[in-house]
Amino acid sequence: MTVLVGYVPSPLGEAALRAAIEQARFRDEPVLVVNTSRGDAYADPRLAQEADLDRVVRELVGAGVPHNVRQLMRGRDAAEEIAEIVETEDVSLVVIGIRHRTPVGKLIMGSTAQEILLRVPCPVLAVKAD
């Protein structure tokens, strides 16, 4: 079993990473860090840079948690990528960061977190940034 964390280089991603480390230690499971981008924009703030991923790995190593990091750019959104991984691998928990959005904001922009919650068959832990 594995704890999967949807990581973005932001306070939400950092909160999700901390929660995933805590859950992995509690469950005695490794962490799979997943960072995705459609790859269709010149600049995507959700795409982690090499320095971001190096820091994530240092944090996981420092916590003594076995881990794997995947950065995917296959033209699909994060919810699709995470759902596929959950369906094909032994994932016990998905950890994601969430932010407050107005009902109109959800209607116009959609919600990756909501799509993940609805699509994956395993438990999802949604955390807010400090």
Side-chain angles (χ1 to χ4, degrees), residues 71-82:
Q71 189 171 51
L72 306 169
M73 287 197 315
R74 301 189 294 195
R76 301 186 316 175
D77 66 29
E80 289 175 295
E81 295 288 9
I82 289 172

Side-chain angles (χ1 to χ4, degrees), residues 1-3 19-30 91-95 122-125:
M1 301 297 282
T2 299
V3 174
I21 289 170
E22 183 179 307
Q23 286 295 314
R25 289 172 126 176
F26 176 76
R27 296 164 179 262
D28 195 26
E29 296 176 1
V91 175
S92 63
L93 177 71
V94 173
V95 182
C122 67
V124 177
L125 175 60

Side-chain angles (χ1 to χ4, degrees), residues 39-115:
D40 59 355
Y42 180 70
D44 184 350
R46 295 169 305 224
L47 182 65
Q49 301 302 308
E50 186 175 341
D52 299 319
L53 295 177
D54 288 345
R55 191 187 44 67
V56 166
V57 168
R58 281 194 306 273
E59 190 166 342
L60 289 159
V61 168
V65 176
H67 60 276
N68 192 357
V69 178
R70 291 189 199 164
Q71 189 171 51
L72 306 169
M73 287 197 315
R74 301 189 294 195
R76 301 186 316 175
D77 66 29
E80 289 175 295
E81 295 288 9
I82 289 172
E84 181 181 294
I85 292 169
V86 170
E87 289 171 10
T88 59
E89 298 189 23
D90 203 11
V91 175
S92 63
L93 177 71
V94 173
V95 182
I96 56 174
I98 60 169
R99 61 186 167 91
H100 176 75
R101 297 180 68 184
T102 66
V104 172
K106 290 178 197 169
L107 178 66
I108 294 171
M109 299 294 285
S111 170
T112 300
Q114 182 177 350
E115 190 173 341

